[in-house]
């Protein structure tokens, strides 16, 4: 393995310069004034003392074998740091990078996002697809979130086995969130978090169990006023307005349905009757249309709401002992009257009416 040092940098830069032009040689003074350092794919295992390169603004160290972030205290002018595809386990030693704007740490072994308390200008953080052990999930240190809440605009946390996004709820400046291929399944929790991200414009949630929920897209879009791109599709203002109206109507309908108390339930629930008989009584009371009875029901919080119920079906036979009782549904069945016997003559095929048989006293 190789340690990143001034000698190694000079060697690699000289080789690159010779490949371009054999007549030119790299001078140390020119190297010290460079602003971009490209050391990717160099089998580097550690970062040595390269404090002489104080003018560095961009460092490319991806696709190496670096296990720790170290010796970057000199890089106060650094704005972009690329450390993806390494074996880093902890985010540390970044206190001096006060001007850092972009940090790439994807495809490492990081479990906790920490050590970012001093990066007040960080706008982009890519920490996707960490190599996590069984049962581990990516989480965020609250101190780092407090600092990033005023600056971070782009966050990529895809492929990190996350079951909730509560840790990033306070990122009020966040505009782009990529949370694909996680374990997000709680639609209510996700709705609450997305509604709190007041600057969010681009959201990606493909590959999460929550995408199997009924109308999950409509629910999330209706609870956020700024999303303009959802899972790669453009969300127009007309679409968002329609979803919001639909949600309001649905909410009002549910409230109205839950607060409605039916008269048949009030009556039959107070009687100790079999279920079939309760159903028959309820059907008998409300199968006929008529004037409606208004009853006021008071709730526990002293709210008075008039409830409309169908009227009782009464008749001449419904009054018994001075009390009105509902007419059962089988009372509508008319009784069949006895018809005289009709005998057809076999000779002339004419119907002959026979008088009814009366009992004789002689028999």
């Amino acid at each position: 393995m190789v340690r990143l040092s001034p000698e190694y940098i000079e060697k690699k830069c000289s080789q690159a310069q010779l490949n371009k032009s054999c007549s030119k040689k790299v001078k140390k003074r020119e190297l010290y004034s460079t602003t971009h350092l490209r050391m990717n794919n160099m089998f580097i295992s550690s970062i040595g003392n390269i404090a002489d390169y104080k003018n560095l603004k961009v460092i490319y160290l991806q696709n190496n074998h670096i296990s720790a972030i170290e010796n970057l205290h000199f890089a106060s002018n650094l704005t972009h740091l690329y450390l993806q595809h390494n074996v880093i386990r902890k985010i540390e030693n970044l206190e001096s990078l006060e001007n850092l704007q972009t940090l790439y740490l994807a495809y490492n072994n990081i479990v906790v996002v920490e050590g970012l308390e001093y990066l007040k200008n960080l706008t982009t953080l890519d920490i996707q697809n960490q190599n996590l052990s069984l049962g581990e999930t990516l989480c965020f240190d609250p101190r780092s979130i407090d600092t990033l809440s005023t600056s971070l605009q782009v966050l990529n946390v895809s492929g990190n086995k996350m079951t909730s996004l509560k840790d990033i709820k306070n990122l009020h400046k966040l505009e782009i969130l990529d949370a694909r291929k996680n374990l997000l399944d709680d639609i209510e929790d996700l709705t609450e978090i997305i509604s709190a991200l007041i600057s969010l414009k681009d959201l990606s949630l493909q590959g999460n169990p929550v995408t199997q929920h009924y109308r999950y897209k409509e629910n999330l879009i209706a609870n956020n006023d700024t999303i303009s791109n959802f899972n790669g599709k453009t969300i127009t203002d007309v679409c968002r307005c329609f979803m919001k109206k639909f949600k309001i109507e649905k909410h009002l309908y549910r409230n109205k349905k839950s607060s409605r108390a039916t008269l048949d339930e009030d009556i039959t629930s107070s009687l100790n009757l079999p279920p079939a008989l309760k159903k028959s009584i309820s059907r008998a009371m409300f199968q006929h249309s008529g004037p409606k009875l208004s009853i006021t029901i008071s709730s526990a919080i002293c709210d008075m709401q008039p409830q409309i119920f169908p009227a009782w079906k009464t008749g001449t036979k419904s009054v018994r002992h001075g009390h009105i009782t509902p007419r059962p549904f089988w009372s509508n069945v008319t009784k069949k009257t006895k018809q005289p016997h009709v005998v057809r003559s076999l000779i002339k095929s004419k119907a002959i009416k026979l008088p009814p048989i009366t009992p004789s006293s002689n028999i």
Side-chain angles (χ1 to χ4, degrees):
M1 295 298 176
V2 180
R3 182 176 178 83
L4 184 64
S5 62
E7 293 78 15
Y8 186 76
I9 294 174
E10 183 180 355
K11 177 182 177 181
K12 289 297 180 180
C13 290
S14 298
Q15 290 178 357
Q17 189 67 28
L18 289 174
N19 292 334
K20 294 179 180 179
S21 176
C22 296
S23 60
K24 291 184 179 180
K25 293 183 179 181
V26 179
K27 297 180 180 180
K28 286 187 177 181
R29 292 182 180 179
E30 294 179 357
L31 286 177
Y32 292 159
S33 62
T34 186
T35 58
H36 290 65
L37 181 62
R38 293 177 173 84
M39 289 287 117
N40 52 299
N41 297 291
M42 296 292 183
F43 301 98
I44 298 173
S45 59
S46 61
I47 303 173
N49 186 6
I50 54 174
D52 294 331
Y53 297 86
K54 296 181 180 181
N55 294 323
L56 285 176
K57 292 185 177 181
V58 182
I59 299 179
Y60 298 95
L61 288 172
Q62 66 269 26
N63 294 305
N64 284 294
H65 300 281
I66 299 173
S67 59
I69 304 174
E70 55 186 349
N71 295 321
L72 293 177
H73 56 277
F74 69 94
S76 58
N77 296 322
L78 195 66
T79 59
H80 294 70
L81 180 59
Y82 297 89
L83 289 168
Q84 63 267 34
H85 291 280
N86 282 283
V87 289
I88 299 171
R89 293 185 174 273
K90 185 178 181 180
I91 305 175
E92 56 186 348
N93 301 322
L94 299 177
E95 296 83 2
S96 301
L97 308 184
E98 55 186 16
N99 292 317
L100 190 65
Q101 299 176 6
T102 301
L103 178 60
Y104 278 77
L105 291 168
Y107 297 94
N108 280 282
N109 301 329
I110 299 170
V111 180
V112 181
V113 180
E114 57 185 346
L116 306 178
E117 301 88 59
Y118 300 96
L119 305 183
K120 297 181 179 181
N121 295 314
L122 190 66
T123 59
T124 302
L125 176 61
D126 189 341
I127 196 163
Q128 62 175 309
N129 292 295
Q130 298 300 310
N131 185 19
L132 302 173
S133 302
L134 184 63
E136 290 182 336
T137 181
L138 186 69
C139 57
F140 288 76
D141 181 15
R143 294 171 295 181
S144 297
I145 290 295
D146 289 341
T147 301
L148 298 178
S149 62
T150 58
S151 62
L152 194 65
Q153 299 177 5
V154 181
L155 177 62
N156 190 339
V157 292
S158 60
N160 286 316
K161 303 178 183 179
M162 299 181 69
T163 57
S164 176
L165 297 177
K166 287 183 178 180
D167 293 344
I168 65 172
K169 184 178 180 179
N170 295 325
L171 297 179
H172 302 304
K173 296 292 184 179
L174 191 64
E175 297 182 2
I176 301 175
L177 174 60
D178 190 345
R180 295 173 296 173
K181 298 179 181 180
N182 280 289
L183 302 177
L184 304 175
D185 192 24
D186 192 340
I187 184 62
E188 295 182 359
D189 177 70
L190 185 60
T191 301
E192 180 183 355
I193 295 166
I194 296 302
S195 62
L197 300 176
I198 57 177
S199 300
L200 190 63
K201 296 180 180 179
D202 193 327
L203 177 62
S204 299
L205 293 174
Q206 300 97 320
N208 284 280
V210 73
T211 58
Q212 303 300 322
H213 286 255
Y214 180 67
R215 292 188 179 276
Y216 88 99
K217 290 183 181 180
E218 290 80 354
N219 192 28
L220 294 177
I221 294 172
N223 283 276
N224 188 287
D225 296 330
T226 57
I227 293 179
S228 59
N229 192 297
F230 192 5
N231 290 344
K233 296 183 179 180
T234 303
I235 305 300
T236 61
D237 293 336
V238 176
C239 179
R240 183 183 292 104
C241 183
F242 172 78
M243 292 179 183
K244 283 189 175 183
K245 288 183 178 180
F246 177 78
K247 183 188 175 185
I248 293 173
E249 292 291 337
K250 188 176 181 181
H251 180 70
L252 293 176
Y253 174 77
R254 286 183 176 179
N255 289 343
K256 184 178 180 181
K257 188 176 180 181
S258 61
S259 62
R260 187 184 303 163
T262 56
L263 185 60
D264 58 338
E265 292 178 355
D266 293 340
I267 295 176
T268 56
S269 61
S270 62
L271 301 176
N272 188 14
L273 299 175
L277 186 55
K278 286 184 180 181
K279 187 175 181 180
S280 299
I281 293 175
S282 301
R283 189 189 307 171
M285 287 190 294
F286 299 104
Q287 66 177 347
H288 299 288
S289 60
K292 295 184 177 180
L293 176 65
S294 178
I295 297 178
T296 302
I297 299 176
S298 60
S299 62
I301 58 175
C302 300
D303 291 332
M304 305 297 289
Q305 296 181 353
Q307 301 293 332
I308 305 301
F309 301 100
W312 290 74
K313 181 66 178 179
T314 60
T316 57
K317 296 182 180 181
S318 300
V319 180
R320 181 177 296 178
H321 303 296
H323 298 282
I324 298 176
T325 58
R327 178 183 294 175
F329 69 93
W330 56 81
S331 64
N332 294 331
V333 181
T334 57
K335 296 181 180 180
K336 295 183 179 180
T337 58
K338 292 184 178 181
Q339 300 292 336
H341 296 283
V342 178
V343 179
R344 292 184 178 274
S345 175
L346 298 177
I347 301 174
K348 297 182 180 181
S349 299
K350 293 182 179 180
I352 302 174
K353 291 185 179 180
L354 299 179
I357 300 174
T358 57
S360 176
S361 60
N362 297 329
I363 299 176

